Amino acid sequence: MFYHRLNPDTELRILEHRHAEALFILTDRSRYHLRKWLPWIDYTQTVQHTLSFIDAALKQFSANNGFQAGIWYKGELAGIIGLHTINWENRSTSIGYWLGEQYQGNGLITQSCQAIISYCFQHLQLNRIEIRVATENKKSAAIP
C-alpha cells in the first residue's frame, strides 16, 4: 500500500478495492453537495460503480499514468485527490480533487495539493501541473 502522511491527522493513500464501500458511502452522503461540480456523481449509484472506479484508478497507477488517492482525516476517508493523466511527452498533468462536505474547512485539499505538486515536480520531473475548476466554484478556485 502506498501512503503519504501530510500531518498527524491526515494521510494520502492509493485507493484499493477494500476502500470501495467507504468511498461509496462518502460519495452518497456528499451527493447533493457534489452534484453541481461533478457530473459523474449521478452515475455512481452502487458500491459496484465505485469498485469500477477503483479498478480504473489501479490500472491508471500500474500504467504509470497518474493515480487516485484517498484523503484520510482522523482515520476516516474524507475525499479524493489524483492526477487525471500524465502527458509524458510534454511532462504535464492536471490535478482533480473533491471532499465530503463535512470535511471542508480543515485545509485538507490545500495540504494534499501541496504534497501532490511537490511529488510531481520533484519525483516525476514534470514541468507543468494544472488545476481546472469551475469558475463559479469559489472554494475550489481558491486552492491554486
Side-chain angles (χ1 to χ4, degrees), residues 54-78:
I54 292 173
D55 280 338
L58 290 170
K59 287 177 186 170
Q60 176 191 21
F61 183 61
S62 70
N64 197 30
N65 194 23
F67 58 87
Q68 302 301 314
I71 303 167
W72 269 262
Y73 179 65
K74 296 184 178 180
E76 296 181 5
L77 183 57

Side-chain angles (χ1 to χ4, degrees), residues 97-117:
Y97 49 79
W98 64 268
L99 275 181
E101 187 171 18
Q102 68 271 31
Y103 297 102
Q104 290 187 349
N106 294 300
L108 300 176
I109 293 296
T110 300
Q111 292 173 51
S112 297
C113 280
Q114 289 170 341
I116 298 299
I117 290 167

Side-chain angles (χ1 to χ4, degrees), residues 80-135:
I80 301 292
I81 188 165
L83 305 180
H84 293 122
T85 60
I86 298 175
N87 179 326
W88 287 108
E89 184 177 335
N90 292 308
R91 306 205 66 76
S92 64
T93 192
S94 61
I95 298 174
Y97 49 79
W98 64 268
L99 275 181
E101 187 171 18
Q102 68 271 31
Y103 297 102
Q104 290 187 349
N106 294 300
L108 300 176
I109 293 296
T110 300
Q111 292 173 51
S112 297
C113 280
Q114 289 170 341
I116 298 299
I117 290 167
S118 176
Y119 174 78
C120 287
F121 283 141
Q122 293 176 9
H123 296 285
L124 298 180
Q125 299 294 304
L126 299 182
N127 297 320
R128 180 185 179 115
I129 302 166
E130 297 177 351
I131 297 176
R132 300 175 190 162
V133 299
T135 55

